[in-house]
Amino acid sequence: MATRGFFSSRKPPTETDARIPPGQYLEQGFPVLSAGPTPRVRTKDWSFTLKHGPRPIKKWNWAEFNALPLTKMTRDIHCVTAWTKFDTAWQGVLVDDILADAGIEAPTGFLLAHGYDGYTTNVPAKDLTTGKAMVALLHDGKPITPDHGGPARLLVPHLYFWKSAKWLNGLQFTERDEPGFWELRGYHIYGDPWREQRYTSDP
Ligand SMILES: Nc1nc2c(c(=O)[nH]1)N[C@H]1C(S)=C(S)[C@@H](COP(=O)(O)O)O[C@H]1N2
Ligand SMILES: [Mo]
């Protein structure tokens, strides 16, 4: 057997490695992860409500929501179950544009996202605004399939993917950072994949 140099068994870090957060692997497919059965929401029955606590600020039906400015976002996504998928392509309405249409600025520092399945997840307002997040309506140029959260899902690509609530039907400003479905069951309150914030006890 030939003698190997010190580092020859290790490949030099690549651009690909630099895009994969610690403890993640690169996935080519698009796994489906849902806590329960897939709700089938027809667009004619769909609505989206923006709330401040219990108080509705504004409600949109499908046609009204689709008339808001559409933005494209292509981002890497990171699931806490350890897969990372590169360059996922979405189109939807930036949370900034939803707030602008409602004529408000964030009234509190925190939000809860709500899904038609009863799922909730908390995200700080600063992580949903300034172009960081959208309510996605299209994936790869086509309507989002029901298993991936269609008709509409939240996309918060810089946090673990459990923050990207599927079957979205509302965003609610809350006075405090209130843990959602997975955050109450042991997942981290914030969920930054680059700091590997998987579980409640992670710093
Ligand atoms: N409404 C709702 N949103 C949800 C979930 C869910 O069960 N219900 N699962 C979350 C989890 S844990 C993950 S990893 C992603 C998975 O999205 P995907 O099925 O499109 O990969 O959706 C998140 N959003
Ligand atoms: Mo997940």
Side-chain angles (χ1 to χ4, degrees), residues 119-137:
Y119 184 87
T120 56
T121 187
N122 59 303
V123 187
K126 69 164 181 46
D127 290 274
L128 288 189
T129 51
T130 60
K132 286 199 184 76
M134 64 162 48
V135 176
L137 306 174

Side-chain angles (χ1 to χ4, degrees), residues 30 71-78 85 87-95 113 121 123 127-129 131-139 144 148 152-168 171:
F30 193 175
T71 300
K72 286 186 185 181
M73 260 173 99
T74 297
R75 294 286 185 281
D76 301 345
I77 54 177
H78 315 288
K85 184 172 175 58
D87 298 319
T88 65
W90 308 87
Q91 279 180 69
V93 182
L94 291 177
V95 174
T121 187
V123 187
D127 290 274
L128 288 189
T129 51
K132 286 199 184 76
M134 64 162 48
V135 176
L137 306 174
L138 301 174
H139 171 246
I144 301 172
H148 285 299
R153 81 175 297 164
L154 191 62
L155 178 70
V156 196
H158 67 289
L159 299 179
Y160 279 124
F161 208 37
W162 87 77
K163 297 288 184 181
S164 294
K166 304 198 280 191
W167 315 298
L168 195 73
L171 286 173

Side-chain angles (χ1 to χ4, degrees), residues 33-34 78-81 83 119 160-163 182 187:
L33 286 123
S34 309
H78 315 288
C79 176
V80 73
T81 61
W83 54 268
Y119 184 87
Y160 279 124
F161 208 37
W162 87 77
K163 297 288 184 181
W182 281 121
Y187 282 3

Side-chain angles (χ1 to χ4, degrees), residues 110-114 120-123 170-174 178-181:
F110 305 98
L111 291 109
L112 271 175
H114 292 267
T120 56
T121 187
N122 59 303
V123 187
L171 286 173
Q172 177 186 28
F173 284 99
T174 57
E178 287 183 29
F181 180 86

